[in-house]
Amino acid sequence: MHKLLNRFALALLGLGMCFAPAHLAEAKTTFITIGTGGITGVYYPTGGAIAKIVNDRFDEFGIKATAEATGASIFNINAVKGGNLDFGIAQADSQYLAYNGKGEWEGKPIKELRSVFSLAPEMITFVCAEDSGIKTINDVKGKVINIGNPGSGNRQNAIDIFNALGINYEKDFKAESLKAADAPRMLQDGRIDGFFYTVGHPNGNIKEATAGMRKARIVAIPEIKALFEIAPYYSMDIIDMTQYPEATNASEGKISTVGMKATLVTSANVDEETVYNLTKAVFENLDELRTLHPALANLTKEGMLEGLSAPLHPGAERYYKEAGLIK
Ligand code: GLU
């Protein structure tokens, strides 16, 4: 019996050695989900890129990650809070509002929200059909404009802009609540005059909208003083129009708009080791991450610690200290 048992144990050990490295023979696999956005955005491929980096190093980190398409920032924060997602990508402004109990979360702060790192910059992108006559943000009166689906960060951005301009989005124009993925087709079909999408660039959705039969432009958002008073977490940015050569105003070269960063968030309830491992995998393989989507090409380790307003998750903090990125 004893001998048999020994043989059995040896056989198991042999199997373990064949199929898994010794240090993982007893370790458990951690499954994680990363909430992203619509499939035509930058969040979806970004979440996929993070999952790939982690999954390709399963032997080292023991994590199996999946990126899920979702309604984006606000949806992701609420799902992370509810424990339905372990990680989520969210705009820096949504992170700030959620943690501080403002906007969507007025009086209901998400105190368990934790930041991990930031990602590519995003810009409020206002695409309008040329034949709609909209050339400035003030030309929306009486038009049909998609401000975005509930659950998206861009919906809040559009509302903030119109509030700051004193334009009533419930009365002065017809506000639609379509998903970003549907907006280019609706624009091309003549069912909307324009749409808002807060997104990193270059982006396929904006390419699709500006390269169709119905000509379209990207309308600038000027520096609106009242906006920065209500929402100091925004900053001015530009959209490089060489990325959208078929937009009717591509020759303008650069379009000014309002921007912020995309960030990765999690919950205080996600364990330290998992967040540490994911952070380490991403930071130690940043060269690869930069190649996985053009919007990620300019990421830097230092830049990835900016734009975070919820406290750092202890697992991320441990890695940053170890790597000498923070004290
Ligand atoms: N920033 C968008 C939002 O949260 C999503 C952008 C994307 O999916 O790339 O509403």
Side-chain angles (χ1 to χ4, degrees):
M1 181 70 185
H2 191 72
K3 227 174 177 181
L4 237 177
L5 255 182
N6 266 345
R7 272 204 199 147
F8 184 62
L10 270 176
L12 267 185
L13 197 70
L15 267 177
M17 281 176 147
C18 289
F19 296 115
H23 75 282
L24 278 185
E26 291 152 36
K28 63 175 178 21
T29 300
T30 305
F31 293 92
I32 60 162
T33 47
I34 306 170
T36 65
I39 53 167
T40 59
V42 170
Y43 285 9
Y44 186 66
T46 299
I50 295 173
K52 177 174 165 39
I53 298 234
V54 170
N55 292 338
D56 284 354
R57 292 162 184 81
F58 176 73
D59 289 355
E60 195 180 341
F61 299 110
I63 298 179
K64 284 206 193 300
T66 12
E68 288 180 11
T70 70
S73 295
I74 293 173
F75 177 95
N76 292 341
I77 290 173
N78 291 334
V80 159
K81 175 191 158 58
N84 297 320
L85 287 172
D86 302 302
F87 294 87
I89 307 182
Q91 291 175 200
D93 54 312
S94 308
Q95 184 188 134
Y96 173 88
L97 295 173
Y99 187 72
N100 293 291
K102 295 182 183 212
E104 183 80 21
W105 299 275
E106 191 63 52
K108 292 173 281 174
I110 313 267
K111 282 297 171 204
E112 57 273 68
L113 192 68
R114 293 292 176 272
S115 58
V116 186
F117 46 73
S118 64
L119 288 151
E122 294 187 87
M123 289 126 221
I124 301 180
T125 311
F126 184 30
V127 183
C128 291
E130 199 58 36
D131 61 21
S132 71
I134 305 171
K135 293 220 164 27
T136 77
I137 182 77
N138 289 300
D139 301 333
V140 292
K141 300 206 172 137
K143 307 289 180 193
V144 185
I145 308 291
N146 182 40
I147 60 171
N149 60 289
S152 70
N154 47 268
R155 185 179 175 89
Q156 184 66 46
N157 300 149
I159 292 173
D160 285 348
I161 288 173
F162 290 121
N163 282 344
L165 289 170
I167 295 174
N168 186 327
Y169 74 94
E170 277 157 335
K171 288 196 193 125
D172 294 335
F173 63 89
K174 187 168 187 313
E176 293 288 357
S177 306
L178 306 164
K179 286 195 266 179
D182 297 329
R185 188 176 35 83
M186 296 292 270
L187 185 96
Q188 285 302 323
D189 288 352
R191 308 212 358 227
I192 55 174
D193 295 308
F195 69 88
F196 279 84
Y197 195 15
T198 303
V199 74
H201 297 281
N203 165 247
N205 183 297
I206 307 298
K207 280 195 183 148
E208 186 188 341
T210 52
M213 288 288 282
R214 192 179 184 203
K215 293 289 163 211
R217 62 167 56 224
I218 299 180
V219 173
I221 313 287
E223 190 163 349
I224 308 162
K225 209 166 152 260
L227 176 69
F228 290 91
E229 276 160 15
I230 352 173
Y233 38 81
Y234 287 132
S235 57
M236 290 308 290
D237 208 336
I238 52 121
I239 298 172
D240 172 1
M241 293 299 286
T242 60
Q243 301 170 119
Y244 305 107
E246 290 173 89
T248 48
N249 59 338
S251 63
E252 287 173 33
K254 291 183 169 80
I255 300 292
S256 90
T257 188
V258 172
M260 77 294 291
K261 278 195 172 193
T263 69
L264 187 75
V265 296
T266 187
S267 159
N269 300 324
V270 173
D271 73 280
E272 184 179 327
E273 202 58 21
T274 305
V275 181
Y276 171 84
N277 280 333
L278 177 132
T279 309
K280 185 171 160 120
V282 166
F283 272 67
E284 291 189 348
N285 298 286
L286 203 53
D287 284 344
E288 184 186 333
L289 186 69
R290 288 191 197 103
T291 66
L292 294 175
H293 190 280
L296 304 176
N298 298 318
L299 290 180
T300 63
K301 288 184 179 173
E302 294 71 24
M304 288 169 77
L305 296 181
E306 290 165 5
L308 308 173
S309 42
L312 276 178
H313 188 284
E317 194 174 8
R318 187 173 120 208
Y319 175 75
Y320 300 141
K321 282 192 175 149
E322 239 176 63
L325 290 162
I326 57 169
K327 291 222 180 86

